[in-house]
């Protein structure tokens, strides 16, 4: 049964024994220790000075862009400013993300300090996010236990109200999902990243969640004060639009880490799931010029398996590991200067990847052929 499902999702013409055949749901012929051994030892080394230099670089660019926007304050400059500043907000998030993984520095106190500053500035509750993101890494590829962009089972999917279903599966709404996820998580899951008593967190983690929520609240209060002082329209242009572009980047990149490959990839339950098999269903992406700006976060497979590796070693670590990974590593399509090629994968996945079966230990996304047809009919 599993083999038949795999052949179906691999594509037409795939046959066991063909040179082109590859079963992405089969247990890999290597262990995670084999991948680790292939990665040079220096790739695991963290340089606090180097990490701080990236913070200085990104904060300096953000400050310079904001200063230029205030100085020019013209409709000629704003359309240039918005995508640039929104992308830099996303870069700040990635550095805070490294703090959350402990790959920024060997000092947990420095990681927490820098992470709180960077994430609070872009309205992300650092500890709330850090803990749920750790859950995502520890359970990636597991239908029920994963946390980020987790698939809906058919039962949950069919019980969605029409508005939620349309917003989740109609472009461009999914790429604005992140703030709503922070408040309410995904359909079928309960809790908030701001609530220390959410079932996302253990009792020992509540104090850290309170700290992050307070930091988030301070920045939000400051933004509201500035809106009253210099005007809400100006603050919308200076901060609000870049924030929305940051959210778009975050949802766009994280969605494509786990969806939209040319052939469907498996999700697991029960004994079929393992940390290694789940991590191997992630996908690397090439973002052209943006690779350096957002700290090579598109080099995602090795990051998912070994989140302790600093971002500036991920490219080298991936090159070293590919000989072990074999076909379980999917070479990313090369990008032009900007990653417009990825839009087709995003649109295709949103329109096709709707739910997975309620049963089965190896499952693939299925498509509801009536989804957009019904949504269109009801809107007329």
């Amino acid at each position: 049964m599993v083999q038949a499902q795999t052949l179906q999702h691999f594509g037409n013409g795939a046959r066991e024994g063909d040179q082109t055949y590859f079963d992405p749901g089969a247990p890999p012929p290597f262990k995670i220790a084999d991948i680790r051994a292939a990665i040079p030892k220096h790739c695991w080394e963290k340089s606090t000075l180097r990490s701080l230099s990236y913070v200085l670089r990104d904060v300096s660019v953000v400050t310079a862009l904001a200063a230029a926007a205030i100085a020019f304050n013209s409709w000629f400059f704003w359309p240039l400013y918005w995508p640039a500043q929104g992308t830099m907000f996303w870069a700040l998030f990635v550095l805070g993300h490294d703090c959350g993984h402990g790959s920024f520095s060997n000092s947990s106190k420095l990681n927490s300090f820098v992470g709180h500053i960077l994430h609070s500035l872009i309205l992300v509750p650092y500890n709330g996010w850090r803990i749920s993101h750790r859950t995502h890494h520890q359970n990636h590829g597991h239908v029920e236990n994963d946390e980020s962009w987790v698939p809906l089972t058919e039962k949950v999917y069919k019980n969605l109200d029409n508005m939620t279903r349309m917003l989740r599966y109609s472009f461009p709404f999914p790429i604005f999902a992140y703030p709503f996820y922070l408040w309410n998580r995904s359909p079928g899951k309960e809790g908030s990243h701001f609530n220390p008593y959410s079932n996302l967190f253990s009792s020992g983690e509540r104090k850290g969640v309170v700290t992050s929520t307070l930091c988030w609240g301070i920045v939000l209060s400051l933004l509201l004060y500035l809106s009253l002082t210099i005007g809400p329209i100006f603050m919308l242009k200076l901060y609000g639009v870049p924030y929305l572009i940051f959210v778009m980047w975050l949802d766009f990149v994280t969605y494509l880490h786990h969806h939209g490959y040319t052939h469907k990839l498996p999700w697991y339950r029960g004994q079929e799931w393992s940390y290694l098999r789940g991590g191997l269903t992630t996908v690397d992406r090439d973002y052209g010029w943006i690779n350096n700006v957002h700290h090579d976060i598109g080099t995602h497979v090795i990051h998912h398996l070994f989140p302790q590796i600093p971002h500036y070693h991920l490219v080298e670590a991936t090159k070293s590991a590919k000989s072990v990974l074999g076909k379980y590593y999917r070479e990313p399509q090369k990008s032009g200067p900007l990653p417009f090629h990825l839009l087709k994968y995003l649109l295709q996945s949103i329109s096709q990847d709707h739910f997975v079966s309620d049963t089965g230990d190896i499952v693939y996304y299925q498509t509801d052929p009536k989804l957009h047809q019904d949504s269109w009919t009801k809107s007329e």
Side-chain angles (χ1 to χ4, degrees), residues 98-120:
D98 282 5
C99 293
H101 281 299
S103 61
F104 185 88
S105 165
N106 286 319
S107 168
S108 59
K109 290 183 178 180
L110 181 63
N111 290 335
S112 181
F113 178 75
V114 175
H116 271 93
I117 291 176
L118 296 180
H119 275 194
S120 298

Side-chain angles (χ1 to χ4, degrees), residues 220-277:
L220 180 62
S221 299
L222 176 61
L223 292 172
L224 292 174
Y225 171 77
L226 290 173
S227 296
L228 295 173
T229 303
I230 62 179
I233 299 300
F234 189 79
M235 278 302 296
L236 176 66
K237 293 186 292 183
L238 185 67
Y239 186 93
V241 177
Y243 172 78
L244 289 177
I245 292 174
F246 148 65
V247 168
M248 291 171 62
W249 266 118
L250 189 152
D251 283 318
F252 178 69
V253 172
T254 57
Y255 184 93
L256 288 175
H257 283 161
H258 310 297
H259 301 78
Y261 186 61
T262 52
H263 304 302
K264 291 188 182 294
L265 298 175
W267 289 81
Y268 301 101
R269 291 187 177 99
Q271 294 184 352
E272 292 291 346
W273 180 87
S274 71
Y275 179 84
L276 175 59
R277 291 174 76 181

Side-chain angles (χ1 to χ4, degrees), residues 38 40 299 302 313-324 329:
T299 311
I302 291 301
H313 290 318
L314 284 175
V315 172
E316 181 182 359
T318 298
K319 289 179 180 178
S320 300
K322 284 197 287 187
S323 61
V324 177
Y329 179 77

Side-chain angles (χ1 to χ4, degrees), residues 12 44 51 59 77 85 110 112 116 160 169 172 180 190 196 209 216 225 231 245 247 262 265 278 296 308-309 331 351:
N12 294 331
W44 303 88
S51 294
V59 171
F77 186 77
Q85 190 71 298
L110 181 63
S112 181
H116 271 93
L160 293 178
Y169 299 105
F180 302 97
E190 296 179 352
V209 175
W216 177 89
Y225 171 77
I245 292 174
V247 168
T262 52
L265 298 175
D296 289 311
Q308 308 86 358
I309 295 178
E331 196 73 40
S351 67

